[in-house]
Amino acid sequence: MTKTAQGSDEDDVPGALRMRGRPKARPDAQERQRIVVAARELFLEAGYGGTRMDEVAARCGVSKRTLYRLFPAKTDLFCAMVADHRRSMLALPRSEDEDLPLADALAAIFRLEDAAAQASERLAFIRLALVESDRFSEIGEAIVREGAEPARQLLGAWLACQQHRGRLRAFPTSTMARMLMDMVLSVLVKRFPGDPLMSSEERVRHARLCIEVFLNGCATEAATVARSG
């Protein structure tokens, strides 16, 4: 049995017979996601500046060589964390023929009914990113490039679809998306030192009110009548 260019001699042995030796490596995509999840825990514990890549490697049980192959720098790792967080914040894209009432669809997009633990994890990462962005310029750049801008584009595309279906009046979708995100997500952080954080229940109520105010201004007359009927 010889080695080939495609792999080692173990690759030729049926899985049931491969009882010993090193376990088969995970696909890169799976390994990247596993590292992102573990790194987020470390970053929340120590902050961006206080987290070292060798600590990430130790937490994940991977060699530093593997870690740096998948994430050449700590900034690359944080960018992947921001992108992963953005997907957890907005349930987009969605089916174009989804027929939920607009208020319910937006509540689902912003994941307002997620479990309190999930919402708390997302909030913790947002606070970390905002605090660290004041100290490290690359954090702010990552938030815009991997988080805020793609999120606005996805939300804008969904809003454009609703316009095409006659459910929202004509208005620049990029502006609508920015306005809606500012309204709904503003309750997740303190806006000034004396501003108390809302409870999870208060945040959901406030976000739903924001959605209602937004729709009162943007929905077509037909959609408004349908929503109130």
Side-chain angles (χ1 to χ4, degrees):
M1 189 178 297
T2 59
K3 294 182 179 180
T4 67
Q6 287 72 34
S8 70
D9 52 5
E10 285 189 348
D11 295 330
D12 299 324
V13 181
L17 299 179
R18 192 184 299 128
M19 302 298 293
R20 292 180 296 178
R22 298 177 61 184
K24 192 172 183 178
R26 299 182 184 89
D28 279 356
Q30 181 180 340
E31 189 74 321
R32 283 176 60 89
Q33 181 61 26
R34 193 176 71 87
I35 291 171
V36 164
V37 171
R40 182 166 57 239
E41 297 174 358
L42 276 174
F43 278 57
L44 290 174
E45 293 169 9
Y48 178 82
T51 300
R52 302 194 309 271
M53 291 292 272
D54 59 343
E55 293 173 328
V56 175
R59 176 72 66 94
C60 297
V62 299
S63 67
K64 287 193 287 186
R65 179 177 179 180
T66 296
L67 178 61
Y68 280 109
R69 178 175 65 82
L70 297 174
F71 301 101
K74 186 165 70 170
T75 304
D76 299 308
L77 176 56
F78 192 82
C79 285
M81 291 166 57
V82 172
D84 188 64
H85 179 263
R86 182 247 306 161
R87 288 187 287 270
S88 77
M89 287 292 295
L90 295 180
L92 288 170
R94 304 180 74 80
S95 171
E96 292 187 3
D97 58 359
E98 182 180 62
D99 203 29
L100 286 173
L102 287 173
D104 292 340
L106 285 170
I109 286 172
F110 283 99
R111 303 183 185 275
L112 297 186
E113 301 304 326
D114 275 8
Q118 293 173 296
S120 178
E121 289 176 4
R122 293 197 296 266
L123 179 57
F125 185 81
I126 289 174
R127 291 173 181 167
L128 165 72
L130 290 176
V131 169
E132 296 290 67
S133 64
D134 289 337
R135 300 175 56 206
F136 303 97
S137 61
E138 63 267 30
I139 296 299
E141 295 168 2
I143 293 171
V144 173
R145 185 176 64 253
E146 302 294 339
E149 190 54 39
R152 280 195 293 266
Q153 291 176 4
L154 285 167
L155 184 57
W158 183 86
L159 293 168
C161 179
Q162 304 313 306
Q163 287 178 333
H164 181 72
R165 297 175 62 186
R167 305 179 80 192
L168 294 175
R169 65 182 177 89
F171 200 80
T173 54
S174 60
T175 301
M176 292 172 69
R178 181 184 293 275
M179 185 185 307
L180 185 55
M181 289 177 63
D182 286 347
M183 293 171 68
V184 174
L185 301 180
S186 66
V187 300
L188 298 179
V189 294
K190 289 186 177 183
R191 287 157 291 180
F192 47 86
D195 183 29
L197 278 173
M198 295 180 178
S199 68
S200 58
E201 295 80 9
E202 290 171 333
R203 286 196 296 271
V204 170
R205 285 197 298 269
H206 184 91
R208 284 191 173 275
L209 285 174
C210 288
I211 288 172
E212 188 64 27
V213 170
F214 172 84
L215 290 177
N216 282 336
C218 294
T220 61
E221 183 178 348
T224 302
V225 171
R227 189 171 67 253
S228 60

